[in-house]
Amino acid sequence: GPQRGDGFPGNRVARVAYAVGDATLSVEFECRTDAPTVVSMTNHAYWNLNGRPSDVSNHELELRGARSVVEIDDQLVPTGTLLPNPYAPAFFLDRDLDHTFVGASRALLRGETASIALETTQPGIHVYTANFLPEPHTAVCLETQHLPDSPNQPHFPLGTLVTPDSPYAHRTTLAFGSPTVAS
């Protein structure tokens, strides 16, 4: 985008590359700029691994390395507080989720007919259970990203700052398998 486009300094050139393998999908995010600016890119793919339109509350999610969760207020705005991760390493999606899990670089999502093993270089995975879609809870997003509101939270990792010498570069890989696959 152009200088001051969307209010951000610097001319930015972003690129997202998708690579499809036999049972994998890799997404590479890159952004270069000519002036210091903030960037955080993600993918909002919705998944339902039941093999039919249905509620995803039976999906099991395991987040490896998720030490904490970004606290949100009743308007879903980050408060700046990192809370201990209240979920066991593996849990069912039987609740409204719209949370960023900090430190989770690997995840395993299992449904009735398939599984997704995810790996990322991003510092967090945002889990969203389609709470506000016309048919809520019929899908889940695993959005690999930096922590929301990072530029305004001095104690959050500021990997969103991109400079001409330090471009934004992250990768997320999804491997698809049977529901009993181990990652």
Side-chain angles (χ1 to χ4, degrees):
Q3 169 79 359
R4 291 288 173 202
D6 296 326
F8 295 101
N11 295 297
R12 296 163 315 282
V13 176
R15 181 180 84 83
V16 179
Y18 293 86
V20 178
D22 287 338
T24 62
L25 172 65
S26 293
V27 185
E28 292 184 359
F29 303 93
E30 295 178 0
C31 186
R32 297 189 179 280
T33 183
D34 59 3
T37 191
V38 292
V39 174
S40 185
M41 300 165 68
T42 191
N43 176 337
H44 295 275
Y46 285 88
W47 303 101
N48 183 320
L49 305 178
N50 286 333
R52 67 190 186 299
S54 62
D55 190 285
V56 294
S57 63
N58 68 337
H59 284 43
E60 183 180 27
L61 179 62
E62 182 178 346
L63 294 167
R64 303 218 175 132
R67 300 177 308 276
S68 53
V69 176
V70 176
E71 181 184 55
I72 53 175
D73 65 18
D74 60 354
Q75 298 296 309
L76 305 177
V77 175
T79 66
T81 301
L82 297 178
L83 301 173
N85 182 359
Y87 303 99
F91 58 95
F92 287 95
L93 301 180
D94 58 355
R95 60 191 66 95
D96 283 358
L97 287 173
D98 199 353
H99 302 307
T100 301
F101 292 83
V102 182
S105 61
R106 295 175 61 201
L108 179 61
L109 179 66
R110 291 184 181 103
E112 289 177 12
T113 62
S115 67
I116 297 174
L118 179 148
E119 291 188 29
T120 187
T121 60
Q122 296 273 28
I125 298 176
H126 190 89
V127 179
Y128 175 61
T129 52
N131 314 329
F132 298 106
L133 292 185
E135 300 210 19
H137 306 117
T138 55
V140 60
C141 289
L142 302 176
E143 304 166 16
T144 60
Q145 63 185 34
H146 278 274
L147 307 190
D149 202 28
S150 291
N152 299 311
Q153 304 298 338
H155 56 286
F156 282 12
L158 188 58
T160 56
L161 181 64
V162 177
T163 68
D165 296 328
S166 180
Y168 183 95
H170 286 284
R171 178 185 184 113
T172 298
T173 302
L174 304 145
F176 302 90
S178 70
T180 58
V181 72
S183 66

